[in-house]
Amino acid sequence: MPTVEVLMRDGSSRTLEAAGGSPLMEVLRDADTGVEGTCGGMCSCGTCHVYVAAEWVEKLPERSEDEAMMLEALQDFVELRPGSRLACQIDFDDQLSGISVEIAPEA
Ligand code: FES
């Protein structure tokens, strides 16, 4: 099963296993990592903000315009980094097995 390496807000690390085929947000939300996914993946809440590790950033499709706008709206409240992504916009599958993300602070 594909895995996700997660750096939690308290500094601890977890390795999650999940079947592919769903958004990364759902994997993180269902594992109680602090990701809420309040809008259900509609790119409008920002509660699924994660920092994707540098070595994985280029393996992901570029941010859509909607994702970029939502991230921009968060920047007054939370640090944005080059790897900032909305986990609801990342389709988790075998290709992404081993991806490493840090849960961003709550905005
Ligand atoms: S779940 Fe709301 S922006 Fe991702």
Side-chain angles (χ1 to χ4, degrees):
M1 226 187 275
T3 60
V4 188
E5 302 297 326
V6 184
L7 180 59
M8 305 285 286
R9 289 183 179 134
D10 66 3
S12 63
S13 298
R14 291 176 62 187
T15 301
L16 308 179
E17 281 191 356
S22 57
L24 181 59
M25 176 275 282
E26 293 183 9
V27 174
L28 297 172
R29 181 196 62 195
D30 294 351
D32 291 328
T33 59
V35 163
E36 293 175 19
T38 310
C39 74
M42 299 303 288
C43 217
S44 61
C45 70
T47 63
C48 64
H49 178 202
V50 295
Y51 302 121
V52 175
E55 64 271 28
W56 285 94
V57 170
E58 289 183 7
K59 296 178 182 165
L60 299 176
E62 291 199 10
R63 297 172 184 145
S64 67
E65 198 172 318
D66 285 348
E67 182 180 0
M69 283 174 58
M70 185 67 242
L71 286 168
E72 203 178 306
L74 290 178
Q75 71 182 350
D76 289 342
F77 310 102
V78 66
E79 177 193 6
L80 291 190
R81 299 180 191 166
S84 285
R85 296 299 302 256
L86 297 178
C88 67
Q89 302 302 300
I90 298 173
D91 292 326
F92 184 60
D93 58 21
D94 287 341
Q95 309 259 23
L96 292 184
S97 185
I99 190 172
S100 178
V101 301
E102 176 180 346
I103 309 298
E106 286 183 84

